[in-house]
Amino acid sequence: MEGRHEIAQVICQGVIEELRSDPPDSTKVDLRLENLVHCVLPPPGKSERDEELRRFVLFQDKPEAIQKGLVIFANNAEDVFAARSNDSGSGACLDEHLAELFGNMKVGGRCVTLTDIRCHLTSKDDARWYHYESFDSGVGAVSWSPNKSVAVHVLTKISDEWICSNEKLICPPSNVVTEKGTLRTKCLYCEEAPRRQQQRNRRKRKIYSPEDGD
């Protein structure tokens, strides 16, 4: 991790020097040597995730215009963030947490991955809050398969709400994330509809119960 941080520092300084005639605003660049897993999972000995680190990753301390242009890249190739990323064998895998981070981005934000994480988002029939595209990296793009091209998956957030595709019900829009920041992957109205129907049926049975007479 230290080596990658040094590479990032060199690239950052190189970009500034290359554009020295019209340098970018480097005050908005904040490089950290952090275990970013802790923005979605509690650090050792803690019971809660690092909320300050989470805000840093989502650029929530930056102007909204910058947040809308945020791109999160995760090297989750070869399913390294999938089920085998969860040592305990219970709970969510890192890909699922990554999908949640994407849901918490501002509209316009993008998430670039090397393994498709759409299975952790809203069902494809209801996937109207994000746009998906993919392309091939080309040969030599990754060190572990230098003679092979890999698929690159790009998700772009286009709405903070999605509408259920249930044709039997006219459902109001659902928020992409809950108040706690977790992904809402099921329509709240559809989930409540069977319960409301059961309540109506119970009321009808009570009203027309033979025991009550005419």
Side-chain angles (χ1 to χ4, degrees):
M1 187 180 292
E2 289 82 0
R4 293 182 180 183
H5 183 65
E6 291 177 3
I7 292 173
Q9 290 177 316
V10 170
I11 292 175
C12 178
Q13 189 58 40
V15 169
I16 294 174
E17 300 226 350
E18 183 68 21
L19 302 174
R20 57 181 174 272
S21 60
D22 185 19
D25 184 359
S26 59
T27 62
K28 292 185 171 61
V29 178
D30 186 5
L31 297 179
R32 292 193 190 182
L33 180 57
E34 297 272 8
N35 186 345
L36 298 183
V37 172
H38 295 158
C39 78
V40 295
L41 293 174
K46 302 287 186 178
S47 60
E48 298 181 351
R49 68 192 180 201
D50 188 332
E51 293 295 340
E52 192 279 329
L53 182 59
R54 188 180 180 89
R55 289 192 294 272
F56 169 76
V57 170
L58 292 172
F59 275 36
Q60 291 177 344
D61 60 333
K62 304 297 183 185
E64 186 169 334
I66 293 180
Q67 294 183 52
K68 290 181 177 180
L70 174 62
V71 178
I72 292 179
F73 170 72
N75 182 359
N76 63 340
E78 307 293 333
D79 290 326
V80 70
F81 282 11
R84 64 192 180 103
S85 69
N86 189 342
D87 294 334
S88 66
S90 61
C93 64
L94 289 179
D95 273 341
E96 190 170 342
H97 287 295
L98 182 59
E100 183 177 289
L101 277 180
F102 171 62
N104 279 273
M105 297 175 77
K106 292 289 186 181
V107 171
R110 287 174 288 175
C111 184
V112 181
T113 61
L114 300 183
T115 292
D116 190 1
I117 62 171
R118 285 179 296 166
C119 63
H120 302 294
L121 300 174
T122 316
S123 68
K124 292 182 180 180
D125 292 335
D126 300 322
R128 303 175 188 176
W129 63 273
Y130 65 85
H131 172 71
Y132 168 80
E133 60 182 326
S134 65
F135 62 90
D136 290 331
S137 66
V139 175
V142 295
S143 59
W144 60 90
S145 297
N147 300 318
K148 178 182 176 183
S149 178
V150 298
V152 180
H153 308 273
V154 183
L155 293 169
T156 303
K157 188 173 182 181
I158 58 176
S159 176
D160 285 321
E161 297 179 331
W162 56 271
I163 298 176
C164 176
S165 60
N166 189 341
E167 297 179 353
K168 297 181 180 180
L169 295 171
I170 301 177
C171 301
S174 296
N175 293 328
V176 171
V177 294
T178 66
E179 294 181 355
K180 296 182 178 180
T182 57
L183 275 177
R184 190 183 297 284
T185 57
K186 295 182 180 179
C187 175
L188 183 62
Y189 187 85
C190 285
E191 287 185 327
E192 291 184 347
R195 181 178 60 81
R196 289 197 296 268
Q197 184 60 48
Q198 290 176 355
Q199 290 176 338
R200 286 194 292 269
N201 291 341
R202 282 197 294 268
R203 285 197 294 269
K204 288 180 180 179
R205 285 196 296 268
K206 184 175 181 180
I207 292 173
Y208 299 108
S209 174
E211 298 177 1
D212 296 334
D214 296 331

